[in-house]
Amino acid sequence: RRIIPGSHLFRESMSMSSGRLVLDTSLGAISLHFLEDTAPLTVNHIKSLVSANLYDNCCFYRSDFVIQCGLQTPDGRSVPNPYDDLSVNESQSPANKAVGNKRGTAAVAHWDVPDCGNSEFFINLNDNMHLNDAYGGYCVFAQIQEEDNESWETVDRIANVIKNDPQQRPRIHHIQVLLV
């Protein structure tokens, strides 16, 4: 049986394993460990998008209290998302609130409608606990491990490049899911 990215069978197959995202960017690598126990539906959504190579050659384009990436190319063009938005927001679960939007966590962006998530995500540069409840909350789905100096340095490098020149948009060459 063929498993199509974004399909119900694909999401089931991806949910049977834990792992991490590895972002290969123009400024270094970032490794984000999934928080499957706190946001299983959100983790599966992100895995589906990554497996479809949706983020390849997109960029980070925002740096204030987060660095945000999504379906924009370094020259500012939008990339269409052929998949549906996430139809649930797991940010209000006790487990997700316990983790919270702390420095080094990754959360799904969403429109002004709180019970959804789209294909964009951000990495918190600071403890941003107000994001746990703002606009219905932003669901944390992964985090950088405390001892992972390379990832921390890459995140800070991306933030500084964008802050110093907002026209600079560090590229995501490829994201992959590594299973543990």
Side-chain angles (χ1 to χ4, degrees), residues 94-129:
N96 206 275
K97 280 190 170 268
V99 173
N101 281 275
K102 297 176 185 154
R103 176 169 161 74
T105 58
V108 173
H110 61 71
W111 312 114
D112 292 339
V113 179
D115 291 329
C116 71
N118 64 33
S119 56
E120 298 207 357
F121 66 90
F122 57 85
I123 300 171
N124 286 289
L125 297 174
N126 309 301
D127 289 350
N128 294 313
M129 301 311 272

CSV table of all heavy atoms in Angstrom, one decimal, residues 94-129:
chain,number,residue,atom,x,y,z
A,94,PRO,N,-2.5,20.5,29.3
A,94,PRO,CA,-1.6,20.7,30.4
A,94,PRO,C,-0.1,20.3,30.1
A,94,PRO,O,0.8,21.0,30.6
A,94,PRO,CB,-2.1,19.7,31.5
A,94,PRO,CG,-3.6,19.6,31.1
A,94,PRO,CD,-3.6,19.7,29.6
A,95,ALA,N,0.1,19.3,29.3
A,95,ALA,CA,1.5,18.9,29.0
A,95,ALA,C,2.2,20.0,28.2
A,95,ALA,O,3.4,20.3,28.4
A,95,ALA,CB,1.5,17.6,28.2
A,96,ASN,N,1.5,20.6,27.2
A,96,ASN,CA,2.1,21.6,26.4
A,96,ASN,C,2.3,22.9,27.2
A,96,ASN,O,3.3,23.5,27.0
A,96,ASN,CB,1.2,21.9,25.1
A,96,ASN,CG,2.1,22.4,24.0
A,96,ASN,OD1,2.3,23.6,23.9
A,96,ASN,ND2,2.5,21.5,23.1
A,97,LYS,N,1.4,23.2,28.0
A,97,LYS,CA,1.6,24.4,28.9
A,97,LYS,C,2.7,24.3,29.8
A,97,LYS,O,3.4,25.2,30.1
A,97,LYS,CB,0.3,24.7,29.7
A,97,LYS,CG,-0.8,25.5,28.8
A,97,LYS,CD,-1.9,25.9,29.7
A,97,LYS,CE,-2.8,26.9,29.0
A,97,LYS,NZ,-2.5,28.2,29.1
A,98,ALA,N,3.0,23.0,30.2
A,98,ALA,CA,4.1,22.8,31.1
A,98,ALA,C,5.5,23.1,30.4
A,98,ALA,O,6.4,23.5,31.0
A,98,ALA,CB,4.1,21.4,31.7
A,99,VAL,N,5.5,22.8,29.1
A,99,VAL,CA,6.8,23.0,28.4
A,99,VAL,C,6.8,24.5,28.1
A,99,VAL,O,7.8,25.2,28.4
A,99,VAL,CB,6.8,22.2,27.0
A,99,VAL,CG1,8.0,22.6,26.2
A,99,VAL,CG2,6.8,20.7,27.3
A,100,GLY,N,5.8,25.1,27.5
A,100,GLY,CA,5.7,26.5,27.2
A,100,GLY,C,6.7,27.0,26.1
A,100,GLY,O,7.6,26.3,25.7
A,101,ASN,N,6.4,28.2,25.7
A,101,ASN,CA,7.3,28.9,24.7
A,101,ASN,C,8.5,29.5,25.3
A,101,ASN,O,8.6,30.7,25.5
A,101,ASN,CB,6.4,29.9,24.0
A,101,ASN,CG,5.5,29.3,22.9
A,101,ASN,OD1,5.9,29.1,21.8
A,101,ASN,ND2,4.3,29.1,23.3
A,102,LYS,N,9.4,28.6,25.6
A,102,LYS,CA,10.7,29.0,26.3
A,102,LYS,C,11.8,29.1,25.2
A,102,LYS,O,11.6,28.6,24.1
A,102,LYS,CB,11.1,28.0,27.3
A,102,LYS,CG,10.2,27.9,28.4
A,102,LYS,CD,10.6,26.8,29.4
A,102,LYS,CE,9.6,26.6,30.5
A,102,LYS,NZ,9.6,25.3,31.0
A,103,ARG,N,12.9,29.8,25.5
A,103,ARG,CA,14.0,29.9,24.6
A,103,ARG,C,14.4,28.5,24.0
A,103,ARG,O,14.5,27.6,24.8
A,103,ARG,CB,15.2,30.6,25.2
A,103,ARG,CG,16.4,30.6,24.3
A,103,ARG,CD,17.5,31.5,24.9
A,103,ARG,NE,18.8,31.2,24.3
A,103,ARG,CZ,19.2,31.6,23.0
A,103,ARG,NH1,18.3,32.2,22.3
A,103,ARG,NH2,20.4,31.3,22.6
A,104,GLY,N,14.5,28.4,22.7
A,104,GLY,CA,14.9,27.2,22.1
A,104,GLY,C,13.8,26.2,21.8
A,104,GLY,O,14.0,25.2,21.2
A,105,THR,N,12.5,26.6,22.1
A,105,THR,CA,11.4,25.7,21.7
A,105,THR,C,10.9,26.2,20.3
A,105,THR,O,11.0,27.4,20.0
A,105,THR,CB,10.3,25.8,22.7
A,105,THR,OG1,9.8,27.1,22.9
A,105,THR,CG2,10.7,25.2,24.0
A,106,ALA,N,10.3,25.3,19.6
A,106,ALA,CA,9.7,25.6,18.3
A,106,ALA,C,8.2,25.4,18.4
A,106,ALA,O,7.8,24.5,19.0
A,106,ALA,CB,10.3,24.6,17.2
A,107,ALA,N,7.5,26.4,17.8
A,107,ALA,CA,6.0,26.3,17.9
A,107,ALA,C,5.5,26.6,16.5
A,107,ALA,O,6.1,27.3,15.7
A,107,ALA,CB,5.5,27.4,18.9
A,108,VAL,N,4.3,26.1,16.3
A,108,VAL,CA,3.6,26.3,15.0
A,108,VAL,C,2.9,27.7,15.0
A,108,VAL,O,2.3,28.1,16.0
A,108,VAL,CB,2.5,25.2,14.8
A,108,VAL,CG1,1.7,25.5,13.6
A,108,VAL,CG2,3.2,23.9,14.6
A,109,ALA,N,3.1,28.4,13.9
A,109,ALA,CA,2.4,29.7,13.7
A,109,ALA,C,1.0,29.4,13.3
A,109,ALA,O,0.7,28.3,12.9
A,109,ALA,CB,3.1,30.5,12.6
A,110,HIS,N,0.1,30.3,13.5
A,110,HIS,CA,-1.3,30.2,13.0
A,110,HIS,C,-1.9,31.5,12.7
A,110,HIS,O,-1.3,32.6,13.0
A,110,HIS,CB,-2.1,29.4,14.0
A,110,HIS,CG,-2.3,30.0,15.4
A,110,HIS,ND1,-3.0,31.1,15.6
A,110,HIS,CD2,-1.8,29.6,16.6
A,110,HIS,CE1,-3.0,31.4,16.9
A,110,HIS,NE2,-2.3,30.5,17.5
A,111,TRP,N,-3.0,31.4,12.0
A,111,TRP,CA,-3.7,32.7,11.6
A,111,TRP,C,-4.3,33.2,12.9
A,111,TRP,O,-4.2,32.7,14.0
A,111,TRP,CB,-4.7,32.4,10.5
A,111,TRP,CG,-4.1,31.6,9.4
A,111,TRP,CD1,-4.4,30.3,9.0
A,111,TRP,CD2,-3.1,32.0,8.5
A,111,TRP,NE1,-3.7,29.9,7.9
A,111,TRP,CE2,-2.8,30.9,7.6
A,111,TRP,CE3,-2.3,33.2,8.4
A,111,TRP,CZ2,-1.9,31.0,6.6
A,111,TRP,CZ3,-1.4,33.2,7.4
A,111,TRP,CH2,-1.1,32.2,6.5
A,112,ASP,N,-5.2,34.2,12.7
A,112,ASP,CA,-5.8,34.8,13.9
A,112,ASP,C,-6.9,33.8,14.5
A,112,ASP,O,-7.4,34.1,15.6
A,112,ASP,CB,-6.5,36.1,13.5
A,112,ASP,CG,-5.5,37.2,13.2
A,112,ASP,OD1,-4.3,37.0,13.7
A,112,ASP,OD2,-5.8,38.1,12.6
A,113,VAL,N,-7.2,32.8,13.8
A,113,VAL,CA,-8.1,31.7,14.3
A,113,VAL,C,-7.3,30.8,15.2
A,113,VAL,O,-6.3,30.2,14.8
A,113,VAL,CB,-8.7,30.9,13.1
A,113,VAL,CG1,-9.6,29.8,13.6
A,113,VAL,CG2,-9.4,31.8,12.1
A,114,PRO,N,-7.6,30.7,16.5
A,114,PRO,CA,-6.8,30.0,17.4
A,114,PRO,C,-6.7,28.5,17.2
A,114,PRO,O,-5.8,27.9,17.6
A,114,PRO,CB,-7.3,30.4,18.8
A,114,PRO,CG,-8.7,30.8,18.5
A,114,PRO,CD,-8.8,31.4,17.1
A,115,ASP,N,-7.8,27.9,16.7
A,115,ASP,CA,-7.8,26.4,16.7
A,115,ASP,C,-7.3,25.9,15.4
A,115,ASP,O,-8.0,25.1,14.6
A,115,ASP,CB,-9.3,25.9,16.9
A,115,ASP,CG,-9.7,26.2,18.4
A,115,ASP,OD1,-8.8,26.2,19.2
A,115,ASP,OD2,-10.9,26.4,18.6
A,116,CYS,N,-6.1,26.3,15.0
A,116,CYS,CA,-5.5,25.8,13.8
A,116,CYS,C,-4.0,26.0,13.9
A,116,CYS,O,-3.5,26.5,14.9
A,116,CYS,CB,-6.0,26.5,12.6
A,116,CYS,SG,-5.5,28.2,12.5
A,117,GLY,N,-3.3,25.5,12.9
A,117,GLY,CA,-1.9,25.8,12.8
A,117,GLY,C,-1.6,25.8,11.3
A,117,GLY,O,-2.2,25.0,10.6
A,118,ASN,N,-0.7,26.6,10.9
A,118,ASN,CA,-0.4,26.5,9.5
A,118,ASN,C,1.0,25.9,9.2
A,118,ASN,O,1.5,25.2,10.1
A,118,ASN,CB,-0.5,27.9,8.8
A,118,ASN,CG,0.5,28.9,9.4
A,118,ASN,OD1,1.6,28.6,9.7
A,118,ASN,ND2,0.0,30.2,9.4
A,119,SER,N,1.6,26.1,8.1
A,119,SER,CA,2.8,25.4,7.8
A,119,SER,C,4.1,26.2,8.3
A,119,SER,O,5.2,25.7,8.1
A,119,SER,CB,2.9,25.3,6.3
A,119,SER,OG,2.8,26.5,5.6
A,120,GLU,N,3.9,27.4,8.8
A,120,GLU,CA,5.0,28.1,9.3
A,120,GLU,C,5.3,27.8,10.8
A,120,GLU,O,4.4,27.4,11.5
A,120,GLU,CB,4.8,29.6,9.1
A,120,GLU,CG,4.6,30.0,7.7
A,120,GLU,CD,5.0,31.4,7.4
A,120,GLU,OE1,5.4,32.2,8.3
A,120,GLU,OE2,4.9,31.8,6.2
A,121,PHE,N,6.5,27.9,11.2
A,121,PHE,CA,6.9,27.7,12.6
A,121,PHE,C,8.0,28.7,13.0
A,121,PHE,O,8.6,29.3,12.1
A,121,PHE,CB,7.2,26.3,12.9
A,121,PHE,CG,8.5,25.8,12.2
A,121,PHE,CD1,9.7,25.9,12.9
A,121,PHE,CD2,8.4,25.1,11.0
A,121,PHE,CE1,10.9,25.4,12.3
A,121,PHE,CE2,9.6,24.6,10.4
A,121,PHE,CZ,10.8,24.7,11.1
A,122,PHE,N,8.1,28.8,14.3
A,122,PHE,CA,9.2,29.7,14.8
A,122,PHE,C,9.9,29.1,15.9
A,122,PHE,O,9.4,28.1,16.5
A,122,PHE,CB,8.6,31.1,15.2
A,122,PHE,CG,7.5,31.0,16.3
A,122,PHE,CD1,7.8,30.9,17.6
A,122,PHE,CD2,6.2,31.0,15.9
A,122,PHE,CE1,6.8,30.8,18.6
A,122,PHE,CE2,5.2,30.9,16.8
A,122,PHE,CZ,5.5,30.8,18.2
A,123,ILE,N,11.1,29.6,16.1
A,123,ILE,CA,11.9,29.2,17.3
A,123,ILE,C,12.1,30.4,18.2
A,123,ILE,O,12.4,31.5,17.7
A,123,ILE,CB,13.3,28.7,16.8
A,123,ILE,CG1,13.2,27.5,15.8
A,123,ILE,CG2,14.2,28.3,18.0
A,123,ILE,CD1,14.5,27.1,15.1
A,124,ASN,N,11.7,30.2,19.4
A,124,ASN,CA,11.7,31.2,20.4
A,124,ASN,C,13.2,31.6,20.8
A,124,ASN,O,14.0,30.8,21.1
A,124,ASN,CB,11.0,30.8,21.7
A,124,ASN,CG,9.5,30.8,21.5
A,124,ASN,OD1,8.9,31.8,21.4
A,124,ASN,ND2,9.0,29.5,21.5
A,125,LEU,N,13.5,32.9,20.7
A,125,LEU,CA,14.8,33.5,21.0
A,125,LEU,C,14.9,33.8,22.5
A,125,LEU,O,16.0,33.9,23.0
A,125,LEU,CB,15.1,34.8,20.2
A,125,LEU,CG,15.1,34.6,18.7
A,125,LEU,CD1,15.3,35.9,18.0
A,125,LEU,CD2,16.3,33.7,18.3
A,126,ASN,N,13.8,33.9,23.2
A,126,ASN,CA,13.7,34.2,24.6
A,126,ASN,C,12.6,33.4,25.2
A,126,ASN,O,11.8,32.7,24.5
A,126,ASN,CB,13.3,35.7,24.8
A,126,ASN,CG,14.2,36.7,24.0
A,126,ASN,OD1,15.4,36.7,24.2
A,126,ASN,ND2,13.6,37.5,23.2
A,127,ASP,N,12.4,33.5,26.5
A,127,ASP,CA,11.2,32.9,27.1
A,127,ASP,C,10.1,33.8,26.8
A,127,ASP,O,10.1,35.0,27.1
A,127,ASP,CB,11.4,32.8,28.6
A,127,ASP,CG,12.4,31.7,29.1
A,127,ASP,OD1,12.8,30.9,28.2
A,127,ASP,OD2,12.7,31.7,30.3
A,128,ASN,N,9.1,33.3,26.0
A,128,ASN,CA,8.0,34.0,25.5
A,128,ASN,C,6.7,33.4,26.0
A,128,ASN,O,5.8,33.0,25.3
A,128,ASN,CB,8.0,34.1,24.0
A,128,ASN,CG,9.1,34.8,23.4
A,128,ASN,OD1,9.4,35.9,23.9
A,128,ASN,ND2,9.8,34.3,22.5
A,129,MET,N,6.6,33.3,27.3
A,129,MET,CA,5.4,32.6,27.9
A,129,MET,C,4.1,33.2,27.6
A,129,MET,O,3.1,32.5,27.6
A,129,MET,CB,5.6,32.5,29.5
A,129,MET,CG,6.9,31.8,29.8
A,129,MET,SD,7.2,30.2,29.0
A,129,MET,CE,6.3,29.1,30.1
